[in-house]
Structures are given as C-alpha cells and as structure tokens.
Amino acid sequence: MNTFIAFYQNLGLALTLLVIGTFLLAGTIKGVIGLGLPTVAMGLLGLAMMPAQAAALLIIPATLTNVWQLAFGGHLQGLIKRLWPMLLAIFIGTGAGTLWIGMAGGHWVVRALGAALLLYALSGLFLPTLKVRPDSERWAGPVCGLLTGVITSATGVFVIPAVPYLQALGLNKDELVQALGLSFTVSTLALAAGLLWRGDLGGGELTASLLALIPAVLGMWLGQWLRQRISAPVFKRVFFVGLGALGAHLLISG
C-alpha cells in the first residue's frame, strides 16, 4: 500500500487523473469493439510519461481484461492449436526486441509509438480486409508474430500486424474476439517479462497498476452497454480517426 500511494504521489494529481480517465476511455472502447485498451492507453499516457512507465501501468488491466475476453466463446482449444506458432513467435519476438531495442526512452521511442498508432489507424480506415490462405498460415503466422513482438517491445502496442492478420483468417465473430484476447494476453505477458527483465516493472508499478484496473473494468461495462445502443461500424470509424490523430501528434512532436 505504501508503494501504491508513493507511486501516485510522485505522479501528482494531474497525471493520476490522466491515468484514471485514460483507462476509463480505453476500457469503454474495448467494451464496444473488443480491442483498443492498450493502444489507447499507450497513446494517451505517452503524451505525459515515458512509454516504459505507461506500459507498466497497463499490465494488470490489459492482462485481466484479455483473459476475460479469451475465456468465453468455446473455441479456445482449437484456436491454440491453430495459432500456437504465431503466439510462440510473439513471445520470442518480444524477448528479442527487449534485448535489441527495449523501451529505453528517448524521442525515437515516442515517435515509434506514434507511427505504430498511425499505421494501425490508417489500415483500419482504408485497407480492405485481407485474406490469408490456409496453406500460407504456416509461415505467415510466425512472421506476423515476430513483427508484433518486436513492435511490442519498443512501443507497448501489440496490434500491428497481429490484428489485421487475425482478421484475415476468416474467423467468425466469436472466434475472432477470442483469438484477439488470446493474442493480446500472450503479448501482455511477454511485455511484462521484458519490462521485468529491464527493471522497469517492480512491486511499486504493479501495485499502482491496480488503480488502473478499476476504471478499465468500469469502462468495459459502459462499452458493453453502449454496444447495444450505437452503430459499431460508426464507432469504430471514429475510433480510428481519433487514434490516427493521436498517433500523428506523437510522431510529429515526439
């Protein structure tokens, strides 16, 4: 408890409110469209703190919400059997990226985060859904996993290129939501291991991350309520536009 209080005392009131508001918004978006919590959290928190610190704060909210997402749907065993090469490559890529790049700080890391967000937004807005043939999954999955892992290790964002790849597999709605939860869980655990190895994830950061879990869960409940009342395609389009603007700001201002 002392480390929890000390961490947020060091952040100050303004940044503490930013953390709460960020995870409330990120959780709401995830509740509506099934993804976006770490992406939005890293983007907004990246405006006020270093990516390694922001990534440490999202570990517990991202892990628990993703485990919840992958636990329901009834397709977990089949998805693991189909996606394990990609999942293993994500873990390997994150580990290699931690050793090679890591979130050591500096303007280039912030710009890399902005570029990842902008690329993801543009792909969501303008690119048609790709199709991956079953006979191509053997090599495409591991390549996608390695790239996702390296990007995760540098920016804390693990949607590129994992999300477009999973969308291209032709999964039904329930399978896709569960596959996203599975991929994000592996990415979050790999990121946590990398941060722990580099000394960026200690007891204070983990304890402080518990605060972010509360608004994240509240946001997910709100998002699920909103999902029944608004058009998901319209919301998703607005989400990508806002995400692209945020990414462009980080890329330019660094």
Side-chain angles (χ1 to χ4, degrees), residues 31-32 35-36 44 68 72 83 102 121 134 144 156 159-160 169 188 212 219 224 236 243 251:
V32 174
L35 59 123
L44 290 178
W68 175 84
F72 299 95
L83 299 177
C144 171
V159 295
I160 295 292
L169 294 181
T188 304
Q224 290 171 346
K236 197 169 185 178
L243 200 64
L251 181 61

Coordinates of all heavy atoms in Angstrom, one line a residue, residues 31-32 35-36 44 68 72 83 102 121 134 144 156 159-160 169 188 212 219 224 236 243 251:
G31 N -14.8 -2.4 -24.6 CA -16.1 -2.9 -24.4 C -17.0 -2.9 -25.6 O -17.8 -3.8 -25.9
V32 N -16.8 -1.8 -26.5 CA -17.6 -1.7 -27.7 C -17.1 -2.5 -28.8 O -17.9 -3.3 -29.5 CB -17.7 -0.2 -28.1 CG1 -18.5 -0.1 -29.4 CG2 -18.4 0.6 -27.0
L35 N -11.3 -4.4 -28.7 CA -9.9 -4.1 -28.7 C -9.7 -2.7 -28.4 O -10.6 -1.9 -28.4 CB -9.2 -4.6 -30.0 CG -9.7 -3.9 -31.2 CD1 -8.6 -3.2 -32.0 CD2 -10.4 -4.9 -32.2
G36 N -8.4 -2.3 -28.2 CA -8.1 -0.8 -28.1 C -7.6 -0.4 -26.8 O -7.1 0.7 -26.6
L44 N -2.4 7.8 -25.1 CA -2.7 9.0 -24.3 C -1.7 9.2 -23.2 O -1.2 10.3 -22.9 CB -4.1 8.8 -23.7 CG -5.3 9.0 -24.6 CD1 -6.6 8.7 -23.9 CD2 -5.3 10.3 -25.3
W68 N -10.2 -12.4 -19.5 CA -11.7 -12.5 -19.5 C -12.2 -12.6 -20.9 O -13.1 -13.4 -21.2 CB -12.3 -11.2 -18.9 CG -13.7 -11.1 -18.9 CD1 -14.6 -11.7 -18.1 CD2 -14.5 -10.4 -19.9 NE1 -15.9 -11.4 -18.5 CE2 -15.9 -10.6 -19.6 CE3 -14.2 -9.7 -21.1 CZ2 -16.9 -10.1 -20.4 CZ3 -15.2 -9.2 -21.8 CH2 -16.5 -9.4 -21.5
F72 N -14.2 -16.9 -22.8 CA -15.5 -17.1 -23.3 C -15.6 -17.2 -24.8 O -15.0 -16.4 -25.5 CB -16.5 -16.0 -22.8 CG -16.5 -15.9 -21.3 CD1 -15.7 -15.0 -20.6 CD2 -17.3 -16.7 -20.5 CE1 -15.8 -14.9 -19.2 CE2 -17.4 -16.6 -19.1 CZ -16.6 -15.7 -18.5
L83 N -3.2 -21.4 -33.7 CA -2.4 -20.1 -33.6 C -1.1 -20.2 -32.9 O -0.4 -19.3 -32.7 CB -3.2 -19.0 -33.0 CG -4.5 -18.6 -33.7 CD1 -5.3 -17.6 -32.9 CD2 -4.2 -18.1 -35.1
G102 N 14.2 -2.5 -26.8 CA 13.6 -2.2 -25.5 C 13.1 -0.8 -25.5 O 13.2 0.0 -26.4
A121 N -4.3 2.9 -37.4 CA -5.5 3.7 -37.8 C -5.7 3.7 -39.3 O -6.8 3.5 -39.7 CB -5.4 5.1 -37.2
P134 N -5.2 -20.9 -46.1 CA -4.8 -21.9 -45.0 C -3.4 -22.4 -45.2 O -2.6 -22.6 -44.2 CB -5.8 -23.0 -45.2 CG -7.0 -22.3 -45.7 CD -6.5 -21.2 -46.7
C144 N 4.3 -12.9 -38.7 CA 3.4 -11.9 -38.1 C 3.7 -11.8 -36.6 O 3.8 -10.7 -36.0 CB 1.9 -12.2 -38.3 SG 0.8 -11.2 -37.4
G156 N 5.1 -0.9 -26.8 CA 4.0 -1.3 -25.9 C 2.7 -1.5 -26.6 O 1.7 -1.8 -26.0
V159 N -0.9 -4.4 -31.6 CA -2.0 -4.6 -32.5 C -1.5 -4.8 -34.0 O -2.2 -5.3 -34.8 CB -3.0 -3.5 -32.5 CG1 -3.7 -3.5 -31.1 CG2 -2.4 -2.2 -32.7
I160 N -0.3 -4.3 -34.2 CA 0.3 -4.4 -35.6 C 1.4 -5.4 -35.6 O 2.4 -5.3 -34.8 CB 0.9 -3.0 -36.0 CG1 -0.3 -2.0 -36.1 CG2 1.6 -3.1 -37.3 CD1 -1.2 -2.2 -37.3
L169 N -8.0 -14.2 -41.3 CA -8.1 -15.7 -41.2 C -9.5 -16.2 -41.5 O -9.7 -17.4 -41.6 CB -7.6 -16.2 -39.9 CG -6.1 -16.0 -39.5 CD1 -5.8 -16.5 -38.2 CD2 -5.2 -16.6 -40.6
T188 N 0.8 -9.3 -23.7 CA 0.9 -8.6 -22.5 C 1.9 -9.3 -21.5 O 2.7 -8.7 -20.9 CB -0.5 -8.5 -21.8 OG1 -1.4 -7.8 -22.7 CG2 -0.4 -7.7 -20.5
A212 N -5.5 1.4 -12.1 CA -5.9 1.5 -13.5 C -6.9 0.4 -13.8 O -7.7 0.5 -14.7 CB -4.7 1.4 -14.4
G219 N -15.1 1.0 -17.5 CA -15.2 1.4 -18.9 C -15.7 0.2 -19.8 O -16.5 0.4 -20.7
Q224 N -19.9 -2.1 -23.1 CA -20.8 -3.2 -23.5 C -22.3 -2.7 -23.5 O -23.1 -3.1 -24.3 CB -20.7 -4.3 -22.5 CG -19.4 -5.1 -22.6 CD -19.2 -6.1 -21.5 OE1 -19.8 -6.0 -20.5 NE2 -18.2 -7.0 -21.7
K236 N -16.4 2.5 -34.6 CA -15.0 2.0 -35.0 C -14.4 3.1 -35.9 O -13.1 3.3 -35.8 CB -15.2 0.7 -35.7 CG -13.8 -0.1 -35.7 CD -14.1 -1.5 -36.2 CE -12.8 -2.3 -36.2 NZ -13.0 -3.7 -36.6
L243 N -7.6 7.9 -33.2 CA -6.3 7.2 -32.9 C -5.3 7.7 -33.9 O -4.1 7.8 -33.6 CB -6.5 5.7 -33.1 CG -5.4 4.8 -32.4 CD1 -5.4 4.9 -30.9 CD2 -5.7 3.3 -32.8
L251 N 4.0 11.2 -33.4 CA 5.0 11.1 -34.4 C 5.7 12.4 -34.7 O 6.9 12.5 -34.9 CB 4.4 10.5 -35.7 CG 5.3 10.2 -36.9 CD1 6.4 9.2 -36.5 CD2 4.5 9.7 -38.1

